[in-house]
Amino acid sequence: MRLEPRDGERIDRSKPVTFSFDGWSVTGFEGDTLASAAFAAGKRVFSRSFKYHRPRGLVCCSGHCPNCMMTVDGVPNVRTCVEPIREGAVAKAQNVLGASFASLGQRDRARAAFSASLQSDPHDPAAYSNLATLEMEAGDLPRARRYFAEALTLDPTNEIARQGLATVLAQR
Ligand code: FES
């Protein structure tokens, strides 16, 4: 969604610029930042928090927080709210581990991403916890219970896994 044109705006609406964001083609305008163009195109989740994988997006819009960081053209941790849009740039959400697929309801792609994450790090409690949440939402409670338990074994302080396991056990 875009605001109506107004005097003095920084973008030039006569000059479209296209880049990719997580495989989607996003078109903004000269004068946009990568984040402002992605936001105008309806994208909201730019990264996930390290510990609990909560969604992160635009907050300060001035380059002073970690919430809009993406990997851009292979460079990690780019604050995209102050990074000018560039034709052909390739931006990727960070630390998402399939969570962006899950939030779109694409369970198979999310499951594949979480499983790939576990293959590269079999001791990642967040990946187990994410898989468990996915299976719980899909109705596979035995598998969800097993994954939540594994997440808690690896990280006994994982509150999402603790609460998820309690929810699964209450449904038996
Ligand atoms: S939204 Fe805070 S640095 Fe970009």
Side-chain angles (χ1 to χ4, degrees), residues 25-38:
S25 178
V26 173
T27 299
F29 301 112
E30 197 171 291
D32 260 321
T33 64
L34 290 171
S36 68

Side-chain angles (χ1 to χ4, degrees), residues 57-68 79-81:
L58 286 178
V59 176
C60 74
C61 297
S62 59
H64 293 114
C65 76
N67 294 290
C68 69
R79 287 183 165 88
T80 56
C81 71

Side-chain angles (χ1 to χ4, degrees), residues 13-162:
R13 295 174 195 246
S14 71
K15 295 181 179 166
V17 180
T18 300
F19 68 101
S20 92
F21 171 47
D22 274 356
W24 284 290
S25 178
V26 173
T27 299
F29 301 112
E30 197 171 291
D32 260 321
T33 64
L34 290 171
S36 68
F39 195 88
K43 310 303 179 195
R44 296 292 180 266
V45 178
F46 297 168
S47 66
R48 292 265 166 178
S49 64
F50 289 115
K51 188 162 185 179
Y52 293 124
H53 278 251
R54 291 173 178 141
R56 297 290 183 249
L58 286 178
V59 176
C60 74
C61 297
S62 59
H64 293 114
C65 76
N67 294 290
C68 69
M69 284 182 178
M70 294 190 218
T71 297
V72 179
D73 293 334
V75 178
N77 303 327
V78 174
R79 287 183 165 88
T80 56
C81 71
V82 291
E83 184 72 12
I85 193 171
R86 291 189 300 281
E87 185 70 35
V90 177
K92 293 182 179 166
Q94 285 192 173
N95 197 31
V96 291
L97 289 176
S100 58
F101 293 136
S103 56
L104 292 170
Q106 298 175 2
R107 284 203 178 104
D108 289 343
R109 295 179 80 181
R111 191 176 287 116
F114 294 143
S115 298
S117 173
L118 276 179
Q119 281 182 348
S120 64
D121 180 4
H123 305 292
D124 180 1
Y128 276 111
S129 189
N130 286 328
L131 266 172
T133 301
L134 201 63
E135 301 302 354
M136 184 171 69
E137 290 169 358
D140 189 339
L141 299 183
R143 196 168 286 186
R145 187 184 61 196
R146 199 166 70 240
Y147 288 146
F148 277 135
E150 188 64 37
L152 275 174
T153 299
L154 292 166
D155 176 12
T157 69
N158 187 321
E159 268 312 303
I160 289 178
R162 182 175 307 288

